[in-house]
Amino acid sequence: MDRSTPTTRVWGRAALLAAAALLAFPGAAAADGDGDDKGDAPTEAGTSFRTATPIRPDQEATAEASTGDYLYWAFPVDTGQRATVHATVKLPDAAARHAASTWQVDVYDGLRRRQACRLGTPKRTVAPDAASVSLSCTLRTVRAWSEQWANDPLPGTYYLRLTVTGLKADDLGLPVRAETKVTTTDAGGAQAVDGSLAEPLVPGAGSDRQRPAAATEPEDGWSSGWWSSRWLWTAAGGVLAALAGVGGYALTRGSGRPARVPQGM
């Protein structure tokens, strides 16, 4: 025999429905991200913005180059994402080098504006006998929209450039191996803003050997800023408000006694 009161049953159902509302959207988002095909890992790098080699998030890329070369990769970053670029350079044999070297990574957006690093070590000087050097740069969260005068990161194609500076002329041309990878995380609704770009910032498609504009588009397309976790909390808030109304009605019903009939009726 169920001895629970109607009010207890109402609030029990409310809790279950609220939990379901909170879990529904993250589960769908996770399902959409499963089974992504990262494709074959690139084994070369471009030498300019126009020939940057396209890579996708979480895809490891390598390139054989010479010390002193400028190496470029292009990758997509969408609204609400925070990207981190990683680069490791396998340096030439120590016996062939004459002095220390300084390596750095720079990240540019679709308008070729250099973006500042929030975290990481984008520049590092290594000794002549070092075997490798690792660099990283975490960008600010990509916004759906920004004022024209601002330098905020916006959705579109981004460029990773790997270079060496402060190098003696005797060390130019020595063989190196570069390994790069880009990872992204979702910042959540706290970073969401109203408004969106008409189009993501991607380079125009031309007759270049490679076309980062097409190759770096996300497999599911650009979000255009329509989705953020604020939608989740708004929906959950609406569900909880409705359930609170049902619960309030149940509480004010009293013990089920019939309403008092006015005298003289």
Side-chain angles (χ1 to χ4, degrees), residues 8 28 31-33 43-45 67 94 133 140 143 159 161 172 187 189 236 252 254 257 265:
T8 302
D32 291 341
T43 56
E44 62 179 3
T67 307
V133 57
R140 294 172 294 165
R143 296 162 59 90
Y159 298 92
R161 184 179 73 180
L172 289 173
T252 56
R257 292 177 298 179
M265 295 293 293

Side-chain angles (χ1 to χ4, degrees), residues 46-111:
T47 56
S48 68
F49 286 105
R50 297 175 66 85
T51 61
T53 296
I55 59 176
R56 297 193 178 279
D58 297 320
Q59 185 179 53
E60 295 182 355
T62 60
E64 304 289 341
S66 299
T67 307
D69 290 345
Y70 283 75
L71 306 180
Y72 289 80
W73 292 268
F75 58 94
V77 188
D78 208 350
T79 300
Q81 292 182 333
R82 182 178 297 138
T84 300
V85 300
H86 310 266
T88 299
V89 181
K90 305 296 183 181
L91 300 173
D93 186 73
R97 287 180 278 161
H98 301 83
S101 58
T102 301
W103 294 80
Q104 71 180 52
V105 291
D106 298 295
V107 182
Y108 299 85
D109 66 8
L111 298 177

Side-chain angles (χ1 to χ4, degrees), residues 22 228-238:
L22 291 174
S228 78
S229 60
R230 290 195 301 178
W231 285 96
L232 171 63
W233 293 108
T234 300

